[in-house]
Amino acid sequence: MSNEPTERVELRTERLLLRPFEVGDVDDVLAYASDPELARFLDLPQPYTHDDAEEYVARRILDDWSSEATFAIVWEQRVVGSIGLHINIRDEMAALGYALARPVWGLGIVPEAGRAVIDWGFERFSLHRIHSRADLRNRQSWRVMEKLGMTREGVLRGHRRMRNEHVDDVCYGILREEWKQARSDSA
């Protein structure tokens, strides 16, 4: 991996466009991020305001994709979530994070987007490992990570403080060799 800045890219899957965030995405972000059920397991301000959505989109537009690459998930012409990698080049690893609008839960959107982002991350950054974590109570997120071929690695007890309580996080990961094997198995 060179020291050149990482170009912002668009990724396409069978049903989705994954692209950099744009100023016009604020209303879509507000629509999904203001849902208390979505925010239940994420560290989002509650209530989530238009100013919060503007700040989020502005930060995503300004991110350096060499270390923080976040894609807007576009499904049926609207942004229904986000997915991205927090990249640590020195250690050849990245953390995968995602959020999705509740009306489209259960449609396989995050696993579809996740496969594309994981492929891009391993290919673009020559990563050794990609990992993710979720609130232990969020079983839907466990299933997403498992569908992405990640292995459950453990539970971090009282790992972070969210809304005045300490929460446990379940951790999953996939190594480059496992990713390569899964790709060759599906070819």
Side-chain angles (χ1 to χ4, degrees):
M1 161 85 206
S2 72
N3 289 332
E4 296 288 317
T6 298
E7 181 180 347
R8 293 169 185 262
V9 297
E10 289 186 353
L11 305 175
R12 292 191 180 271
T13 69
E14 185 177 327
R15 302 178 296 161
L16 307 172
L17 168 63
L18 308 175
R19 62 158 172 79
F21 274 90
E22 302 168 353
V23 172
D25 296 333
V26 170
D27 288 339
D28 286 346
V29 170
L30 178 62
Y32 73 78
S34 60
D35 180 349
E37 185 62 21
L38 170 71
R40 189 172 84 172
F41 297 121
L42 299 175
D43 196 13
L44 296 175
Q46 288 300 300
Y48 194 88
T49 67
H50 193 272
D51 286 347
D52 294 322
E54 283 180 341
E55 181 183 332
Y56 176 81
V57 169
R59 280 187 282 131
R60 298 296 71 89
I61 290 170
L62 295 173
D63 280 341
D64 173 359
W65 275 38
S66 298
S67 60
E68 195 74 39
T70 304
F71 295 88
I73 301 172
V74 180
W75 183 72
E76 296 187 348
Q77 314 303 306
R78 63 190 173 107
V79 175
V80 295
S82 65
I83 189 164
L85 295 174
H86 178 76
I87 304 146
N88 177 334
I89 293 298
R90 186 182 69 91
D91 293 330
E92 300 175 338
M93 68 173 61
L96 176 73
Y98 44 84
L100 188 69
R102 185 163 39 131
V104 295
W105 287 359
L107 299 179
I109 289 173
V110 175
E112 185 175 330
R115 282 187 285 280
V117 170
I118 286 172
D119 288 351
W120 176 77
F122 276 122
E123 291 168 356
R124 172 63 182 94
F125 298 100
S126 300
L127 298 171
H128 172 69
R129 164 186 166 75
I130 295 177
H131 59 272
S132 192
R133 66 179 169 81
D135 186 310
L136 183 62
R137 301 166 295 184
N138 187 351
R139 291 184 182 271
Q140 284 180 290
S141 199
W142 300 7
R143 287 193 291 276
V144 166
M145 292 181 275
E146 290 164 357
K147 287 176 184 177
L148 292 173
M150 294 181 154
T151 300
R152 184 174 173 155
E153 297 176 334
V155 174
L156 300 172
R157 298 176 304 139
H159 185 243
R160 61 193 161 93
R161 187 169 170 82
M162 187 170 68
R163 286 190 269 294
N164 298 318
E165 71 173 317
H166 289 95
V167 298
D168 298 342
D169 278 336
V170 62
C171 303
Y172 282 77
I174 186 168
L175 300 176
R176 182 177 194 78
E177 300 79 41
E178 296 164 339
W179 166 75
K180 284 172 122 175
Q181 183 62 52
R183 287 184 75 187
S184 69
D185 290 348
S186 66

